[in-house]
């Protein structure tokens, strides 16, 4: 399971030069940065709605959509999900999210 | 790097019964589901703002915040990030996000 | 200018029974409540993006979109924008938003 | 009721030079543009949550919060809510939101 994000990042990288008609991601890149950001706002809203519905399957589906479009954003800026995981690890490593608590969240 | 999400999920699980004053996450659980969902909306907005600023470090920081609060949501519902990764893998496995393209995204 | 919201509320009320193919709003009602809520999340994100771009015309356009879909939400629940204006007036009447400050915003 | 937005715009304008400690809005201006935009994302999420709860009073309260922070954004950019109402009227005047339908919403 652990390499899913890495493999997905590779696919997203490979799609960068692709024909916009060839895939959803190629089309999203072609539409430009604002289209990607708009999707992040949308998927966050849908995650909230799924959680309000109390539908576990839908929550997983929408969080996957949210993370997916986060990965597209990262790829579009030449960033890798490992940097996000490292940031999470950095906070987590500091004795259980103490840093987050310290800055008042 | 690969086990960061799993280890974080374990920490989040362990925090469930903790004193609200003991950590940021314990406090968030105590505030209840709406407080967690509100954070997802907030962090998505901050991710969009960081991307608009074109600040790579801030993008990574805000995506980490967004994923972190997604993990808190999952934990609060008894769900595991592996289910999200499996969903991403399922889509990815279907020859490069074809499924996503098919449903019109 | 002052009656725009009232007149718009009347139009939105009148559209409720209309053929989904007859207008954007009739289609939105037909799609159901989640579709309306999703638009509110979308338009808020687009407002933030327009503001980040520093484009005054776009800010006005997106705030109009955000308010418009708020009005659709209100209409869909049998609520009137006057109730929102009354709530704003109630806060404003309390010597300049003091209530808002009091509850910590 | 009709002059609420105009009077609120006047108050927001007057608060611009005020001591950050004197009111919620003065504090928000002092925090800067990102703080205002973050509130718009937050309040949109809270509106969606209130609607999901099916709580009419809360919907009105949260839409008021959303509109209020939209007004703060407008004021912070030297814009007036009349411009937003004019934009709504322009669309509305074109035979019932036909323009909106035309551009595909």
């Amino acid at each position: 399971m652990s390499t899913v994000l890495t493999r997905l990042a590779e696919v997203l990288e490979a799609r960068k030069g692709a024909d916009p008609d060839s895939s959803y991601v190629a089309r999203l890149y072609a539409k430009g940065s604002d289209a990607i950001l708009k999707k992040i706002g949308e998927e966050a809203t849908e995650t909230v709605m799924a959680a309000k519905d109390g539908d576990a399957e839908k929550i997983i589906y929408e969080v996957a959509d949210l993370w997916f479009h986060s990965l597209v954003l990262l790829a579009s800026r030449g960033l890798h999900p490992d940097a996000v995981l490292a940031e999470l690890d950095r906070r987590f490593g500091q004795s259980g999210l103490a840093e987050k608590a310290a800055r008042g969240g």
Side-chain angles (χ1 to χ4, degrees), chain A:
Chain A
M1 195 64 73
S2 60
T3 54
V4 172
L5 296 180
T6 297
R7 276 168 48 215
L8 201 37
E10 283 163 13
V11 173
L12 293 175
E13 188 61 33
R15 292 291 157 85
K16 274 183 178 176
D19 178 353
D21 290 335
S22 66
S23 76
Y24 171 76
V25 171
R27 201 155 54 242
L28 200 49
Y29 283 135
K31 280 186 190 168
S33 180
D34 278 5
I36 298 168
L37 298 182
K38 198 176 148 176
K39 287 304 292 181
I40 287 175
E42 268 184 62
E43 303 302 347
T45 304
E46 294 196 85
T47 298
V48 168
M49 288 161 59
K52 273 292 184 185
D53 289 340
D55 181 335
E57 205 175 328
K58 211 154 67 163
I59 291 172
I60 287 162
Y61 189 90
E62 297 300 349
V63 171
D65 257 355
L66 183 56
W67 289 12
F68 176 78
H69 287 91
S70 307
L71 291 168
V72 176
L73 168 62
L74 293 173
S76 75
R77 304 300 173 106
L79 303 171
H80 195 279
D82 276 355
V84 175
L85 296 176
E87 170 65 22
L88 287 171
D89 193 45
R90 191 183 64 77
R91 298 185 199 179
F92 167 68
Q94 288 180 18
S95 68
L97 317 168
E99 184 259 357
K100 177 79 186 179
R103 71 178 180 89

